[in-house]
C-alpha cells in the first residue's frame, strides 16, 4: 500500500501544497499560521467560509478534531485558539492551515509511490477517497486501482485513460483528473519523493478538480540534489530527541523504553532491540554507530542516549568486523571519563579484538557481558531495579 | 563449487582510489581475491598499489578480462557506476555504497532488465566464497570452508552468524550480503535459487528483516523445494512507520512485519531461529536430517 517507505523528510500538508502548487497542481487558496491572530487575518484575506486544519503528521485528523470549519474571521480565530497548542493524537499542534472551504461533490484517492516488488513507481487511485486508504484496501480491495509506471517513459496517455476509467472516476472530468495525475507524477520524480499522495482529490459542486489534502515524503538520500526541499528537513522532526540526534548526525530512533541501546550496524541494533524485548525489557531507542566507529562517535552516541531521561541502563552491543573491539573499548572509556554517566552500562563485545577490548574494561564501572542475550538480561535487570 | 564467485573470479574495483575503495581493495587482495583492475575516471594509465588503473570499466574489462566489479563510489555517482558495468557486460556487480537515491535505483533496475548482469546490493557488504574470493567489506578472518550457505540483508548480522558458524566448526560455501535498501539487485529468492543448484551447499541460512515482502516470496519458493534452510528475522519489535537504519527496514501499515515473515517461513517448513544463538543448533539439526 502507499506506505511512507523512506520518509525521513515528511512535509506538512501546507508545505506539500506549496510544492504541489509550484508544479501547477490545483490547491485551494490557503495560508499557514501559528497564532490565532494570524489565523484571523488569513481568514479575512481568503474570504468566505474557511477550514482550519491542524498541521501534524498523523492520519484521521478530522475525527480527532483537527479539522474544523469557520464561518467568519472571528470564528476562525476562536477555533484556532482551541486548536493551536493542543495535542492531537500525541502531537502538539504548532501550525494550522487556513483554507477556503470547498463545496465537495466527490472525493477520490490518488498517489504515487515505490513498489518494491516490481521495483517500479506505481500510481494508485480509488473512487473511495477521503478515508484511510489502508481501510479501503482491506474492505474494498476491488476499489483500489494500480498503474505501474515505467520510469523511462512516465505514465502514458492510454494508461491514464485506463487508470481513471477502471477506478470509476467522473468521466466528464477525466481531462482535468488526467492532468492532475501527470503533474503529481512530475512532482514525484522531480523531487525524489518516496510518497506523493492526494487524499482526497475533490470534485467540487461547481465542477472544479482540487487537491484538498496532501501527503508528501522526500527520500533523504536525494537531498544532496534537492536543495530547495532541504528547508523542510528540520521541521519534519516531531520528536525532540530524534531532532537532536539528527543534528548530531546519528542514526537514532526514539522508542520510549528504559534500556538505552547502542550498537554497530542496523541489523545488529534491530536484533538488539529484539533480545532486550525477549528479556522482558523495553528499548529506549535504536542507535547505530555504523562501521569503524571512533572514540568521538561512541562519545556522541553515549551522550545522546543519556539525554533521554527515561533511560535507566545502557546496553552497548558491538560486533567487531572492520571495527576493532579494543578501539571501541577505548572510545567507551574516554566517553565515560568525560561524561556524567548516571546509569549502569553493559558492554557486549565480540569479533575482532574483542578479548583485548574486554580486558581494557576490566576494573572499570562498565559491566561486561559474554553474549548479547546475557548483556540484554543484565541491562534489563539493572533498568528494572533502578525504576 | 559454491556460487557466483570463486578462485577464478577477476575483480575490478570502481572507486579504488577513494578511501573506502583503497582500503577494501587491499583487504580483498589479502584474502586472495584476484583484483585485476581499478577504475577511476581521469586516472587511467596509472596504478594503485600495483593494480592497473583505467578510465572506464569497458577498457578495464577489455584489457584485463575482469568478470566482476566491486563498487565503492559515493552515493551521487554510484548508480552511474553500476550502469557503466552493466553496459560493459560485467556479469557480476557488487555495489557496497550506502545511501543511493531510490529513484536512481528504479532507473538502474529498469536499465538492467534483460541484461546479463547480476547486481548484488546496493548498501551491502558484498559476497564471499570461503577460501577463494571476497568482493566487498566482510572481515577476512571470519570465514572457514564448509557446506553452509548464507544470505543476509544485514552486514553486521552476517558477520555475527559467520563467526558463530566458524566457531562451531561449520564452514561456509558462499555468503551473500544482499543489502538493506528497498530496491536491490539480488533478493533472497534469487540467492536461494542459486544455492539450490549448488551441490556443495547442504544448508542455507537466510537472515531477513522487517520491511517489504522478499522473505514472504522466498518462503513461497521454499515450500516443497526440498532445500534445507534455517531462517532468522530481525526487527520483531520495530514500531510501524519508523525506519530502522536500513532504508528498506520499515514496517508500513500491516505489511512487512517480522511476525508475518516468520509465519510465512514456518508455514513453508523452514525453522526460524528465535535468537542468533539458536542458528547454529538449527543448522546442525538440518545437516543431520
Amino acid at each position: 500500500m502507499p506506505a511512507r517507505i523512506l520518509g525521513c523528510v515528511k512535509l506538512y500538508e501546507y508545505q506539500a501544497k506549496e510544492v504541489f502548487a509550484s508544479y501547477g497542481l490545483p490547491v485551494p487558496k490557503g495560508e499557514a499560521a501559528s497564532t490565532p491572530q494570524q489565523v484571523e487575518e488569513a481568514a479575512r484575506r481568503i474570504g468566505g467560509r474557511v477550514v482550519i486544519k491542524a498541521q501534524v503528521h498523523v492520519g484521521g485528523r478530522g475525527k480527532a478534531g483537527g479539522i474544523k470549519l469557520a464561518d467568519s474571521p472571528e470564528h476562525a480565530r476562536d477555533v484556532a485558539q482551541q486548536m493551536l497548542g493542543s495535542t492531537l493524537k500525541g502531537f502538539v499542534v504548532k501550525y494550522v492551515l487556513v483554507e477556503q472551504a470547498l463545496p465537495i461533490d466527490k472525493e477520490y484517492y490518488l498517489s504515487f509511490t515505490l513498489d518494491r516488488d516490481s521495483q517500479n513507481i506505481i500510481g494508485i487511485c480509488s473512487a473511495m477517497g477521503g478515508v484511510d486508504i489502508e481501510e479501503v484496501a482491506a474492505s474494498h480491495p476491488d476499489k483500489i486501482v494500480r498503474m505501474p509506471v515505467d520510469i523511462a517513459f512516465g505514465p502514458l496517455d492510454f494508461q491514464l485513460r485506463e487508470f481513471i476509467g477502471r477506478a470509476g472516476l467522473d468521466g466528464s472530468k477525466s481531462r482535468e483528473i488526467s492532468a492532475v495525475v501527470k503533474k503529481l507524477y512530475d512532482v514525484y520524480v522531480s523531487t525524489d519523493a518516496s510518497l506523493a499522495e492526494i487524499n482526497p482529490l475533490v470534485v467540487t459542486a461547481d465542477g472544479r478538480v482540487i487537491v484538498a489534502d496532501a501527503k508528501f515524503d522526500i527520500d533523504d538520500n536525494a537531498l544532496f540534489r534537492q536543495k530547495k526541499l532541504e528547508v523542510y528537513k528540520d521541521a519534519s522532526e516531531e520528536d525532540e530527541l530524534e531532532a537532536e540526534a539528527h543534528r548530531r548526525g546519528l542514526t537514532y530512533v526514539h522508542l520510549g523504553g528504559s534500556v538505552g541501546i547502542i550498537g554497530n550496524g542496523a541489523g545488529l541494533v534491530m536484533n538488539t532491540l529484539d533480545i532486550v524485548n525477549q528479556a522482558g525489557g523495553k528499548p529506549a531507542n535504536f542507535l547505530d554507530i555504523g562501521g569503524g566507529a571512533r572514540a568521538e562517535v561512541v562519545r556522541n552516541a553515549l551522550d545522546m542516549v543519556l539525554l533521554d531521561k527515561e533511560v535507566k541502563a545502557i546496553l552497548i552491543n558491538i560486533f567487531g568486523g572492520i571495527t576493532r573491539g579494543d578501539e571501541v573499548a577505548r572510545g567507551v572509556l574516554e566517553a565515560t571519563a568525560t561524561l556524567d554517566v548516571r546509569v549502569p552500562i553493559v558492554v557486549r563485545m565480540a569479533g575482532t579484538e574483542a578479548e583485548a577490548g574486554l580486558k581494557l574494561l576490566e576494573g572499570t564501572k562498565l559491566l561486561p557481558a559474554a553474549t548479547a542475550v546475557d548483556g540484554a538480561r543484565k541491562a534489563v535487570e539493572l533498568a528494572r531495579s533502578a525504576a | 563449487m559454491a556460487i557466483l564467485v570463486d578462485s577464478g573470479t577477476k575483480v575490478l574495483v570502481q572507486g579504488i582510489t577513494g578511501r573506502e575503495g583503497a582500503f577494501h581493495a587491499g583487504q580483498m587482495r589479502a584474502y586472495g581475491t584476484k583484483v585485476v583492475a581499478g577504475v577511476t575516471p581521469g586516472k587511467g594509465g596509472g596504478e594503485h598499489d600495483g593494480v592497473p588503473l583505467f578510465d572506464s570499466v569497458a577498457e578495464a574489462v577489455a584489457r584485463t578480462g575482469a568478470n566482476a566489479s566491486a563498487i565503492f563510489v559515493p552515493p551521487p555517482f554510484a548508480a552511474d557506476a553500476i550502469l557503466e558495468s552493466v553496459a560493459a557486460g560485467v556479469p557480476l556487480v557488487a555495489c557496497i555504497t550506502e545511501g543511493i537515491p531510490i529513484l536512481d535505483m528504479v532507473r538502474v533496475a529498469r536499465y538492467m532488465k534483460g541484461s546479463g548482469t547480476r547486481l548484488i546490493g546496493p548498501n551491502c557488504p558484498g559476497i564471499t566464497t570461503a577460501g577463494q574470493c571476497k568482493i566487498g567489506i566482510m572481515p577476512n578472518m571470519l570465514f572457514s570452508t564448509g557446506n553452509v550457505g548464507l544470505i543476509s540483508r544485514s552486514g553486521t548480522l552476517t558477520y555475527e552468524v559467520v563467526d558463530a558458524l566458524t566457531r562451531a566448526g561449520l564452514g561456509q560455501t558462499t555468503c551473500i550480503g544482499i543489502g538493506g535498501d528497498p530496491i536491490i539487485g539480488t533478493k533472497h529468492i534469487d540467492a536461494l535459487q542459486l544455492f539450490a543448484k549448488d551441490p556443495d551447499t547442504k544448508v542455507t541460512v537466510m537472515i531477513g528483516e522487517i520491511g517489504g515482502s522478499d522473505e514472504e516470496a522466498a518462503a513461497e519458493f521454499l515450500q516443497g523445494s526440498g532445500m534445507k534452510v534455517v531462517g532468522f528475522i530481525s526487527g520483531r519489535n520495530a514500531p510501524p512507520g519508523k525506519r530502522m537504519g536500513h532504508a528498506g527496514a520499515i514496517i508500513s501499515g500491516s505489511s512487512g512485519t517480522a511476525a508475518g515473515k516468520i509465519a510465512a517461513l514456518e508455514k513453508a517448513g523452514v525453522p526460524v531461529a528465535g535468537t542468533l544463538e539458536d542458528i547454529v543448533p538449527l543448522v546442525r539439526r538440518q545437516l543431520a536430517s
Side-chain angles (χ1 to χ4, degrees):
Chain A
M1 275 325 329
R4 315 205 105 181
I5 289 175
L6 300 164
C8 248
V9 184
K10 288 182 186 183
L11 275 68
Y12 288 109
E13 178 192 0
Y14 76 92
Q15 298 169 329
K17 283 177 170 169
E18 271 170 30
V19 179
F20 284 13
S22 72
Y23 281 81
L25 280 160
V27 302
K29 208 176 185 188
E31 293 177 33
S34 60
T35 67
Q37 179 67 31
Q38 287 174 1
V39 170
E40 183 180 340
E41 287 162 11
R44 188 158 287 126
R45 275 191 292 272
I46 292 161
R49 205 167 189 223
V50 293
V51 60
I52 320 248
K53 306 170 88 177
Q55 299 297 292
V56 283
H57 292 303
V58 292
R61 277 178 309 173
K63 277 185 207 156
I67 300 178
K68 293 209 160 124
L69 287 162
D71 293 313
S72 66
E74 294 73 27
H75 186 196
R77 185 195 176 95
D78 292 345
V79 169
Q81 192 87 51
Q82 299 277 316
M83 203 180 280
L84 282 163
S86 72
T87 304
L88 202 74
K89 292 190 167 181
F91 293 98
V92 177
V93 180
K94 293 179 195 157
Y95 293 93
V96 294
L97 173 61
V98 189
E99 266 185 355
Q100 195 169 42
L102 300 171
I104 294 169
D105 181 26
K106 299 187 181 78
E107 294 184 284
Y108 300 142
Y109 174 90
L110 176 66
S111 72
F112 282 97
T113 187
L114 173 76
D115 181 41
R116 286 169 74 150
D117 292 337
S118 68
Q119 308 194 322
N120 257 331
I121 296 167
I122 191 164
I124 299 170
C125 80
S126 173
M128 293 177 75
V131 291
D132 183 355
I133 196 68
E134 292 261 352
E135 277 169 31
V136 177
S139 61
H140 298 83
D142 54 311
K143 296 286 185 196
I144 305 260
V145 175
R146 292 174 176 79
M147 170 177 65
V149 180
D150 186 329
I151 195 165
F153 300 103
L156 303 166
D157 286 343
F158 79 88
Q159 279 189 299
L160 290 171
R161 287 194 297 273
E162 196 196 77
F163 189 47
I164 292 165
R166 267 199 298 149
L169 310 191
D170 185 345
S172 72
K173 292 288 158 208
S174 66
R175 243 196 24 218
E176 289 87 339
I177 296 170
S178 233
V180 167
V181 178
K182 274 189 177 173
K183 282 173 185 160
L184 188 64
Y185 178 81
D186 283 347
V187 174
Y188 185 90
V189 173
S190 316
T191 60
D192 276 292
S194 51
L195 173 70
E197 181 183 84
I198 301 172
N199 187 22
L201 177 68
V202 159
V203 181
T204 63
D206 52 341
R208 291 171 294 152
V209 175
I210 296 183
V211 175
D213 196 357
K215 220 187 236 183
F216 189 31
D217 296 354
I218 309 294
D219 173 4
D220 60 345
N221 283 344
L223 283 182
F224 69 85
R225 62 184 179 204
Q226 299 292 348
K227 294 287 178 215
K228 269 195 225 158
L229 298 172
E230 227 170 5
V231 294
Y232 298 121
K233 191 173 166 73
D234 278 350
S236 77
E237 310 285 358
E238 291 279 5
D239 185 291
E240 302 274 328
L241 287 168
E242 289 181 6
E244 173 60 23
H246 290 159
R247 276 193 288 275
R248 290 163 173 249
L250 292 167
T251 308
Y252 173 97
V253 179
H254 183 215
L255 298 169
S258 61
V259 183
I261 313 264
I262 296 170
N264 64 327
L268 180 131
V269 179
M270 232 190 299
N271 184 51
T272 311
L273 305 183
D274 290 348
I275 54 182
V276 164
N277 265 282
Q278 279 162 357
K282 287 268 171 279
N285 64 277
F286 170 105
L287 202 172
D288 173 14
I289 56 170
R294 274 159 242 159
E296 187 46 39
V297 177
V298 177
R299 189 196 132 88
N300 191 10
L302 257 181
D303 191 33
M304 180 64 226
V305 171
L306 287 164
L307 284 179
D308 181 352
K309 298 300 167 211
E310 301 298 312
V311 167
K312 303 287 184 247
I314 295 174
L315 172 59
I316 300 178
N317 187 11
I318 301 291
F319 186 89
I322 302 305
T323 314
R324 293 164 55 114
D326 52 345
E327 279 178 21
V328 173
R330 265 184 223 110
V332 175
L333 287 174
E334 267 174 47
T336 51
T338 50
L339 293 172
D340 174 27
V341 181
R342 57 185 165 75
V343 300
I345 301 175
V346 180
V347 183
R348 177 265 176 164
M349 222 179 258
T352 312
E353 297 296 334
E355 282 86 7
L358 289 170
K359 193 150 223 156
L360 283 172
L361 300 182
E362 270 173 23
T364 69
K365 283 196 293 184
L366 299 157
L367 307 160
T371 67
V373 172
D374 178 41
R377 283 200 196 108
K378 277 187 184 155
V380 169
E381 207 168 290
L382 288 163
R384 193 174 291 146
S385 58
Chain B
M1 273 283 288
I3 63 167
L4 294 172
V5 297
D6 57 29
S7 52
T9 303
K10 292 197 228 167
V11 181
L12 70 88
V13 177
Q14 290 174 263
I16 197 169
T17 52
R19 195 170 65 108
E20 299 289 320
F23 176 74
H24 290 292
Q27 291 289 308
M28 284 157 60
R29 294 170 81 194
Y31 194 72
T33 306
K34 292 192 178 74
V35 177
V36 297
V39 173
T40 300
K43 295 193 178 166
E47 61 170 52
H48 180 89
D49 270 353
V51 177
L53 295 176
F54 298 91
D55 285 327
S56 74
V57 172
E59 199 188 343
V61 169
R63 299 272 295 278
T64 66
N67 55 10
S69 172
I71 296 180
F72 293 93
V73 169
F77 319 108
D80 186 65
I82 297 171
L83 296 181
E84 187 181 357
S85 268
V86 174
V90 178
L92 182 75
V93 176
C95 182
I96 311 305
T97 310
E98 175 177 2
I100 302 177
I102 196 71
L103 286 185
D104 283 5
M105 284 311 302
V106 173
R107 291 185 184 97
V108 167
R110 168 67 173 80
Y111 187 88
M112 286 185 72
K113 269 191 191 137
S115 85
T117 298
R118 168 173 298 285
L119 172 67
I120 297 173
N123 188 15
C124 80
I127 176 168
T128 304
T129 288
Q132 297 190 48
C133 175
K134 181 188 91 163
I135 300 179
I137 61 172
M138 295 183 194
N140 287 357
M141 68 291 172
L142 301 177
F143 299 91
S144 56
T145 54
N147 50 22
V148 180
L150 190 140
I151 309 161
S152 173
R153 268 169 76 181
S154 149
T156 23
L157 289 187
T158 306
Y159 314 157
E160 284 251 19
V161 174
V162 173
D163 188 50
L165 288 169
T166 292
R167 281 170 199 276
L170 299 164
Q172 306 87 41
T173 49
T174 302
C175 301
I176 311 182
I178 59 175
D181 274 4
I183 293 189
I184 50 176
T186 299
K187 300 182 182 190
H188 281 299
I189 188 168
D190 306 314
L192 283 169
Q193 281 166 344
L194 295 168
F195 278 123
K197 286 186 222 137
D198 175 34
D200 291 343
T201 303
K202 305 296 182 204
V203 174
T204 306
V205 178
M206 177 186 144
I207 300 169
E209 65 190 25
I210 55 160
S213 59
D214 289 357
E215 288 81 3
E216 287 85 339
E220 209 166 294
F221 163 74
L222 288 170
Q223 180 85 50
S225 70
M227 265 186 96
K228 292 182 182 178
V229 174
V230 171
F232 179 79
I233 304 290
S234 70
R236 291 169 195 235
N237 297 287
K242 295 268 189 181
R243 155 174 153 174
M244 290 292 136
H246 285 161
I250 185 163
I251 296 168
S252 46
S254 55
S255 72
T257 65
K261 291 173 188 295
I262 292 166
L265 286 168
E266 285 180 341
K267 191 169 156 251
V270 176
V272 179
T275 66
L276 286 180
E277 282 79 0
D278 297 336
I279 290 176
V280 163
L282 285 175
V283 169
R284 282 220 175 88
R285 198 192 304 164
Q286 289 285 56
L287 279 170
S289 70

